[in-house]
Amino acid sequence: MAEYFVCCLIENIADASEGLANSFIAPLADIKSKMKTIKSEFLVMKAFLKDAGAVKEHDEAWRAWVEQVRDVGHKVEDILDEFSHLMAQRQSNGFLYKIFHDIKHLKVWYGMAKLLHSVEHDLQNLSSMKHRYGIKTSSRDAEESSSSERRDQVSRRLAETTHFIEEDEVVGFNEHREWLARQLISEEPRRTTISVWGMGGVGKTTLATNVYKNIKNRFDCSAWICVSQKYETIDILRRIIVEFHKEKRVAIPDGISSMDYRRLVEMLHEYLQEKRYLIVLDDVWRANAWFDTCAAFLENRNRSRVIITTRNGDVTELGTVKLRIEPLSIDVAWELFCRKAFWKDMNKICPQELEFWARKMVDKCDGLPLAIVVIGRFLSLKEQTEEAWKKVYDDLCMETVGSPGLEGIENILNLSFNDLPHHLKNCFLLCAIFPEDSLINTKKLMSLWMAEGFVIEKGIKTKEEVAEDYLKELIHRCMLQVAYWIGSGIMVCCRIHDLLRDLAVTKSRRENFCVVCDDYSEGSGSFDKARRLSYYRSSKDDQFSTSMPHLRSFFSFSDAMFSCPTDLISQLSNCKLLRVLDIEGAPVERLPDEVFNLFNLQYLGLKETKIRKLPNSVGRLGKLQTLDVAKTRLVKLPQSVVKLKNLRHLLLYKSFLNVGLTAPKRLSHLSGLRTLQGIEADDEMIQQLGNLTKMRSLGVYMLKRAQCSKLCASIARMNQLVILSISADPDEALQLDGLNSPPSNLQKVWLKGKLENHLLPNWFDIHIKLTELSFWKSQLREDQIHSLGSLPNLRILTFMHDGFHGQKMSFRRGKFQRLNCLLLHNLSQLNWIEIENGSLKNLEGLFLEYCMELKAMPGGIENVTTLRKLELKDMPQELIRRVQETTVLTSVQNGCWQRSDKSSF
């Protein structure tokens, strides 16, 4: 963590120094010299932190020293932000102005030089302190080896205990066990590799080990190997040979400990020549662990099997077949908890007086079996009183990581966090700002990462593309979970598991990364040093300091603190280096003018506030990247918005209705815009759009037919456009055939309003990259549905509010081959759905909502073997009854059914 912070700081110092090339004022020359010295010091510290950081995180002296390094770094960061602001003003004008500017700010330059001199002194003290207290890395290799060995021992011990779990103690995996067993004993002759994937502690090892124990006797030889993060290929091969011989109770070959890689592979080939083998590679972190060893696993077409368990989505791709393990349902989680917490009781039933706190603790575990088992066992040793259990719950909410008795959870979660690259650790920790169990808008999350400076453009990739890569990697590593929210089409949000969020909150507090104020955190004494502050208490008791000079980001998720909103925001306006101000949902009607003096502000989130007007002074926010005024009471933007040259994302939509904001004149001045959602159509604005060639997401409302051809011409120039949303004027039709050459990257199109002659735009047939389509009031006919079925990459299809106009919707053989999700909402005439055999071959989710004439199950639905989820909302009781009678789907909650075999989830 500290190493990545220092890396970013070095880059900022280098950027700041570039602007001093033509400075003639003495203090500026002094500043340049001091920056060079400070940069050199931090370069050495960076190397030192990288060398020692991985092995000294539990060394108290080391942690105290790193904390002081971070404090000095924060001081430099503050100086650099103010310095870069003044330099931006200086460089925006001619030579004479620069001289005048330098003289005008002479006092400020001297002040900065003095502060940098103080920083030099602090760095010298830190250097001598490091030597004085023996904070060194000379024994790094031994320490790293020892640390790695300890981590591997913990990981292996936790994994190996699963071999001794009794059959009736494995709860919640019956369906997965049956599926996995079928894969192992199938008649497929080729060697099959099965990936079992899920977050740490979700039960991958327990499941794989349980099936392994019950199935291994059907194989000629078998081996179960824990791979872990630090592995040696030769060691894995040796352990496999030893396991093979131990299982058969025969002597282990002599000299195996001295054999090299080649000899070990040859030995395994000889041994496996005619055998059917089963190998479990548990806890695989890197794909290389497979590539380094798979040459030894002979492909003898003898129905051999390999199971790989992993928490890394990239490793999952090694599998011929894949099994995703999700957290337990609430009922199964409760059963497992009672078995562990009340194991002394014959019936294993929770006493009524403890059930309230027991249920809350099970909810806190969020279906994670490891956490349920650890907490259940921990509570089994506690006095069975409300007071004792409440205290455990409060401690659990205050700080899961480090809590006595809960070390097993900490070890597993820390393994995942420590394995993150440095650039992803900050991105993950920022997720701590969001309240427990909240859905996190992925676009907002990525915009916050960019505003915080965590995302840097790489090569030809934009910041947005790099941020998307970061998000995908965190999801693949199971640090974030994907959630689907149904609206105009299906928009992907994410969430963070409660215990991983607790880990992020705890580490954020220790690293002085972020202060989270919820109902379980203590007081407000740390506000004055906070760099980031996330507030979601339910009370109004906190008194914020009038000066929080180090505050960089403020996030509010509570109305309670806004008893006097103008005063609070005025206080925040004193934090002159504030980078992020997000008060989404706050009952704020206006912003004080001081807010627009925050020269460092890069993210201003006002979504769902009561703001009615933005002043022209908004144009002073020269660094602003994201302005979110969606669902506010604004009706137009001030003209000064076009001065925001760094603006990348402008969110204006009022709702999912045809309501947008009036655009300011000369919109094309915002040439860096990537997102413009919710702008109301007018002739000048449409003409200006053609100059916004970096646009990735565009939403235009109240479009008239006469404006369609000009809009198409402007869109054709947006080569990077990915998302397009167009809403027609209620009295007009959309005519989009003029877009003969749609942007090559266009993937998602959402259309609201009648289409001319009820026909699809002609370019739909040729644009093969389309992955998501949504039609609202489009009144498409059945023949148009057949046309959509030929789109080769279409995965999500939505018809809402008579988006389809007809009684029958049929899906013909061979059509919609890659469609994953189909949503039909409020189609007033629809009374029959026909699915021909060979259609919808990859459909996983079918969502039917408020289609009141649809009273029968879709014909041919039994042919859709990939269907995992059927959700009915406000549908006729006759249809619900028929679904309940089916044996293919199992009800999991009201209105939602899912297939009992979850292997493709």
Side-chain angles (χ1 to χ4, degrees), residues 508-570:
S508 291
R509 183 163 59 250
R510 288 179 181 174
E511 299 274 350
N512 195 24
F513 179 87
C514 179
V515 175
V516 175
C517 298
D518 58 17
D519 289 332
Y520 299 101
S521 57
E522 298 176 357
S524 56
S526 57
F527 289 177
D528 57 342
K529 282 192 170 184
R531 304 293 290 183
R532 297 171 186 85
L533 181 58
S534 179
Y535 190 97
Y536 36 91
R537 286 198 211 275
S538 58
S539 66
K540 305 176 183 179
D541 297 335
D542 286 310
Q543 296 297 318
F544 286 90
S545 169
T546 55
S547 176
M548 292 181 281
H550 303 290
L551 192 67
R552 293 308 186 90
S553 302
F554 178 82
F555 311 89
S556 169
F557 298 92
S558 170
D559 290 351
M561 65 185 303
F562 288 94
S563 56
C564 189
T566 305
D567 289 348
L568 172 63
I569 297 176
S570 293

Side-chain angles (χ1 to χ4, degrees), residues 6 23 49 71 79 132 175 205 237 292 315 318 333 347 390 393-394 400 404 415 418 439 478 482 518 530 822 853:
V6 170
S23 57
L49 291 166
D71 287 344
I79 296 170
R132 188 161 61 247
E175 294 158 6
T205 300
L237 298 179
D292 291 344
V315 176
L318 297 171
N347 296 318
K390 178 183 182 300
Y393 178 74
D394 289 342
T400 301
L415 284 172
N418 291 333
L439 286 180
C478 297
V482 177
D518 58 17
L822 176 63
E853 298 300 316

Side-chain angles (χ1 to χ4, degrees), residues 763-882:
W763 49 271
F764 269 38
D765 293 337
I766 60 172
H767 198 66
I768 62 173
K769 286 190 177 181
L770 290 173
T771 61
E772 181 175 340
L773 293 175
S774 178
F775 300 96
W776 184 318
K777 296 186 178 180
S778 303
Q779 299 184 4
L780 290 177
R781 309 300 190 195
E782 186 174 3
D783 57 336
Q784 298 295 291
I785 303 294
H786 303 326
S787 177
L788 292 175
S790 299
L791 292 172
N793 293 300
L794 188 63
R795 288 177 171 81
I796 298 173
L797 180 60
T798 303
F799 294 99
M800 304 182 74
H801 297 280
D802 287 331
F804 171 79
H805 197 73
Q807 294 182 340
K808 180 182 178 183
M809 181 181 288
S810 60
F811 298 89
R812 294 179 179 173
R813 180 190 301 271
K815 299 290 186 178
F816 297 100
Q817 291 297 286
R818 301 189 71 177
L819 196 71
N820 297 133
C821 182
L822 176 63
L823 168 64
L824 307 178
H825 174 90
N826 196 11
L827 306 183
S828 59
Q829 296 186 20
L830 184 66
N831 60 28
W832 179 246
I833 299 174
E834 180 67 36
I835 303 173
E836 295 183 5
N837 193 10
S839 177
L840 300 175
K841 291 176 65 174
N842 285 288
L843 189 70
E844 295 182 7
L846 176 58
F847 302 85
L848 304 175
E849 302 175 358
Y850 205 69
C851 299
M852 301 311 294
E853 298 300 316
L854 186 62
K855 300 174 182 177
M857 285 279 286
I861 194 171
E862 66 278 2
N863 298 321
V864 187
T865 57
T866 56
L867 187 65
R868 302 292 162 221
K869 188 173 185 179
L870 171 65
E871 187 166 308
L872 307 182
K873 183 178 180 181
D874 294 321
M875 294 294 289
Q877 287 299 314
E878 185 176 348
L879 174 60
I880 294 174
R881 178 179 53 79
R882 291 182 178 181

